[in-house]
Amino acid sequence: TAPEVLTDTLGAGLTAGTMPAGCTAAGQVITCTLATGAAIGTHTFVYTATVDAAAVTSVSNSVTTSTGNCASCTTTNPVAPRVAVNKTANPISGEAVEANDIVTYTVTVTVANSATAQAVSLTDTLSAGQTLLPASVQVPAGGACNAVASGLECSLAAGAAPGGYAFTYQVQVDAGATGTIGNTVVAGGGGGEEPDCQTCNTEHRIVEPIVNVTKSADPAGGAALHVGDTIQYTLTVNVAQAATTSDLILHDTPSVGLT
């Protein structure tokens, strides 16, 4: 009597693991042989396969036999989606900005393996020193955003197919901003493992203020004066790029003869 040969063909997205005695693997095909003369009873072959990064939607395999009858010899398992989130800024994170500058943020949701089974939530909390521009918000198909007190809350609907989805919005640096501005995105949902938030924080340094002081007089310098005349002095302070971070004290020392 010929040996019984079982052939299991793994579908795309499965990689054969360690084989037991009596089985060999060649690519996607696993072959197990039950030797001639096998005793009456149950004989098992136990082996593993790993779901790899190429798996899409579902993975399956199917066993055929050389002579025997095969019942329930095809299996199919859905593959959970993988969701990654990445955030970029223009100007890029780490660069200096000044009052009234516009910073553009882009949050990209990348879906892999299969469509999302649940909505993906994105919560972006903006630090003080920046103001969201609601009219700038752009969302992909299946996306939605709402401005909230802390920043922006967005979502990508369930059923999003594998691919990339970009949410874009802008903020304006406040006139009184000092130090740094930053924000943090927190992602959740998707129906698989928790989303992998790769780069979800950005920070920009507020440039130091530039302060220029000018002085003028009325009558202007050089004009002849008489005893009892009144001179009006005007000190003008021009602050540029950012708000001052400490008090500015000006000392004006009058010359002899002025009261």
Side-chain angles (χ1 to χ4, degrees), residues 75-104:
T75 64
T76 300
N77 296 87
V79 176
R82 294 179 60 190
V83 176
V85 178
N86 188 54
K87 181 173 187 177
T88 59
N90 183 21
I92 64 173
S93 181
E95 286 195 357
V97 294
E98 59 184 77
N100 299 317
D101 275 358
I102 301 296
V103 181
T104 301

Side-chain angles (χ1 to χ4, degrees), residues 94-99 127-129 173-182 203-209 241-245:
E95 286 195 357
V97 294
E98 59 184 77
S127 71
V173 181
D174 295 344
T178 59
T180 61
I181 58 170
E203 184 175 88
H204 292 85
R205 175 176 54 85
I206 307 299
V207 297
E208 294 296 322
Q241 296 192 151
T244 56
T245 56

Side-chain angles (χ1 to χ4, degrees), residues 10-257:
L10 304 181
L14 287 175
T15 300
T18 303
M19 293 294 108
C23 294
T24 59
Q28 298 300 101
V29 179
I30 297 171
T31 302
C32 298
T33 302
L34 182 63
T36 300
I40 295 173
T42 301
H43 303 268
T44 59
F45 298 94
V46 179
Y47 48 91
T48 63
T50 301
V51 180
D52 58 44
V56 177
T57 307
S58 64
V59 292
S60 62
N61 64 347
S62 184
V63 174
T64 59
T65 66
S66 58
T67 62
N69 297 316
C70 195
S72 301
C73 282
T74 297
T75 64
T76 300
N77 296 87
V79 176
R82 294 179 60 190
V83 176
V85 178
N86 188 54
K87 181 173 187 177
T88 59
N90 183 21
I92 64 173
S93 181
E95 286 195 357
V97 294
E98 59 184 77
N100 299 317
D101 275 358
I102 301 296
V103 181
T104 301
Y105 297 117
T106 300
V107 176
T108 302
V109 178
T110 301
V111 179
N113 299 124
S114 63
T116 55
Q118 300 174 0
V120 177
S121 63
L122 304 167
T123 301
D124 194 349
T125 302
L126 305 177
S127 71
Q130 57 190 319
T131 299
L132 177 69
L133 303 177
S136 70
V137 178
Q138 298 182 30
V139 301
C145 288
N146 291 301
V148 295
S150 61
L152 193 65
E153 292 182 347
C154 298
S155 63
L156 180 64
Y165 301 83
F167 295 78
T168 302
Y169 44 96
Q170 295 179 322
V171 299
Q172 185 169 37
V173 181
D174 295 344
T178 59
T180 61
I181 58 170
N183 59 3
T184 300
V185 172
V186 176
E193 297 180 1
E194 278 299 298
D196 176 17
C197 216
Q198 296 169 342
T199 302
C200 283
N201 301 291
T202 67
E203 184 175 88
H204 292 85
R205 175 176 54 85
I206 307 299
V207 297
E208 294 296 322
I210 295 176
V211 179
N212 291 308
V213 180
T214 58
K215 179 179 180 179
S216 61
D218 183 18
L225 299 174
H226 302 89
V227 174
D229 284 351
T230 298
I231 307 174
Q232 177 177 288
Y233 295 110
T234 301
L235 297 178
T236 302
V237 180
N238 181 267
V239 179
Q241 296 192 151
T244 56
T245 56
S246 61
D247 293 341
L248 176 66
I249 300 174
L250 304 175
H251 297 281
D252 192 1
T253 304
S255 63
V256 176

